[in-house]
Amino acid sequence: MNSKKHLGHTARKRFGQNFLHDNHVIQNIVAAIYPQKDQFLVEIGPGLGALTEPVGEQVEHLTVVELDRDLAERLRHHPFLHQKLTVIETDAMQFDFGALYADQTAEPKQKLRVFGNLPYNISTPLMFHLFKYHDVIQDMHFMLQKEVVKRLCAAPNSKAYGRLTIMAQYFCQVMPVLEVPPSAFKPAPKVDSAVVRLIPHQTLPHPVKDLYWLNRVCSQAFNQRRKTLRNALSSLFSPENLTALEIDLNARAENLSIADYARLANWLADNPPVEVLKDEIMDSEE
Ligand code: SAH
């Protein structure tokens, strides 16, 4: 049998299609999501419905975002779910989740509970896209590469701690939920997988004035993670500035907390470095 074929559908590699088929794993994921009847559940990449069906059975309504035209069409004609489903055939990375929240007619509006077994090639940019909507999202449950889940949940002073950790934990409380072996999917991916839960903070614990600077300082520090911060950040901060901001000059990127990065980002927002301003002027003249 063609291992790429599952329930009469040939998996498309470019859409990152690895379909879940292990019932025990599926039940555990649904139990972790714990969908309640009147909640606003939104699935990204429903595919052939492995999670859509058991979640759909527990709620009155389910919204799904699917890019593959054939799969979207199958879901519109789903034998027992089609009346409950709103099928949005689009790229989740371009989709306005804020409008989905705002367009609800019933009051009070419900925050979104987003979940999905995501295509691994787009999981990081898709999470960054969703973080923009953190204030209209109640929680998110995603199947990801196990390595990515480790990075999302990492603590300082570890190898897995990096820009992804900082950005995710800036917006969300993050926790691992369960590990899933390749054999739970068809076709089986080459890597181990894991499910993560992200709960957006009600109030951001370390708010920054401008996310650009948080991203910038994290990229610069972690792109040279073996260097001391004195060297890695030398184009942005003088050693005196770092010391005044209570940063140990000999520390490395992985030793700083999110609060430290937020402090650095806020200082940069108030004191944008001259070189950077020059870069921007050059860019705008191109
Ligand atoms: N949830 C299903 C399918 C997982 S495979 C299961 O667990 O079996 C990933 C799914 O995401 C596929 O259905 C694929 O077509 C869809 N997909 C891929 N890229 C997407 C994108 N950019 N936006 C929305 N869906 C996407």
Side-chain angles (χ1 to χ4, degrees):
M1 195 182 112
N2 179 350
S3 66
K4 291 218 172 82
K5 208 155 175 116
H6 186 50
L7 301 173
H9 171 83
T10 302
R12 291 196 169 96
K13 210 170 172 189
R14 72 172 187 285
F15 288 153
Q17 295 178 349
N18 298 94
F19 299 103
L20 268 168
H21 77 118
D22 180 322
N23 267 327
H24 182 66
V25 169
I26 292 169
Q27 276 171 24
N28 284 340
I29 297 171
V30 176
I33 299 172
Y34 194 57
Q36 300 297 301
K37 215 167 103 194
D38 50 0
Q39 292 174 335
F40 192 171
L41 281 118
V42 181
E43 181 175 10
I44 299 177
L48 293 160
L51 296 171
T52 324
E53 288 175 1
V55 171
E57 279 173 6
Q58 299 191 33
V59 295
E60 281 167 4
H61 192 88
L62 178 57
T63 300
V64 300
V65 182
E66 174 58 63
L67 181 57
D68 185 314
R69 188 201 295 178
D70 297 340
L71 293 175
E73 185 60 15
R74 280 175 76 132
L75 288 160
R76 283 188 203 102
H77 300 285
H78 192 280
F80 59 91
L81 282 181
H82 67 276
Q83 283 173 324
K84 286 186 179 182
L85 287 183
T86 301
V87 180
I88 303 174
E89 188 187 316
T90 194
D91 179 351
M93 285 204 279
Q94 309 291 331
F95 184 63
D96 183 352
F97 290 88
L100 203 57
Y101 172 81
D103 290 349
Q104 293 174 83
T105 44
E107 292 287 342
K109 294 192 198 312
Q110 301 250 30
K111 287 196 182 185
L112 281 46
R113 299 197 65 209
V114 183
F115 68 100
N117 167 18
L118 300 184
Y120 294 166
N121 53 337
I122 63 159
S123 62
T124 303
L126 182 57
M127 281 189 285
F128 277 90
H129 178 66
L130 285 159
F131 293 154
K132 291 185 218 155
Y133 305 104
H134 64 102
D135 51 357
V136 300
I137 294 176
Q138 182 179 329
D139 59 16
M140 300 179 263
H141 288 84
F142 294 129
M143 174 85 73
L144 302 168
Q145 274 176 259
K146 190 171 133 187
E147 283 311 309
V148 176
V149 172
K150 274 196 188 151
R151 285 162 55 197
L152 290 169
C153 302
N157 310 316
S158 67
K159 264 198 184 153
Y161 187 72
R163 188 176 76 104
L164 185 60
T165 317
I166 311 273
M167 298 313 289
Q169 296 184 13
Y170 174 80
F171 287 110
C172 303
Q173 189 192 346
V174 189
M175 63 212 85
V177 175
L178 76 145
E179 294 189 2
V180 182
S183 59
F185 304 86
K186 272 188 185 166
K190 292 198 177 69
V191 293
D192 286 330
S193 303
V195 176
V196 70
R197 175 183 298 135
L198 302 122
I199 306 176
H201 299 299
Q202 294 276 347
T203 319
L204 294 176
H206 309 291
V208 295
K209 296 178 182 176
D210 187 343
L211 269 178
Y212 169 82
W213 289 113
L214 183 62
N215 240 312
R216 171 81 202 247
V217 72
C218 290
S219 306
Q220 187 146 340
F222 285 105
N223 284 345
Q224 312 170 75
R225 59 186 300 147
R226 277 189 295 246
K227 286 195 184 171
T228 60
L229 292 170
R230 174 207 288 268
N231 291 328
L233 299 181
S234 63
S235 67
L236 299 174
F237 299 90
S238 68
E240 295 73 31
N241 292 152
L242 284 177
T243 306
L245 288 161
E246 293 174 41
I247 303 299
D248 174 356
L249 295 175
N250 295 317
R252 289 177 167 73
E254 68 186 48
N255 305 127
L256 299 197
S257 65
I258 299 177
D260 292 329
Y261 280 109
R263 206 161 61 248
L264 293 174
N266 284 334
W267 188 88
L268 288 171
D270 292 336
N271 306 277
V274 180
E275 301 92 317
V276 177
L277 284 178
K278 267 197 224 140
D279 285 352
E280 280 162 7
I281 294 163
M282 304 278 276
D283 286 345
S284 65
E285 279 173 359
E286 266 168 28

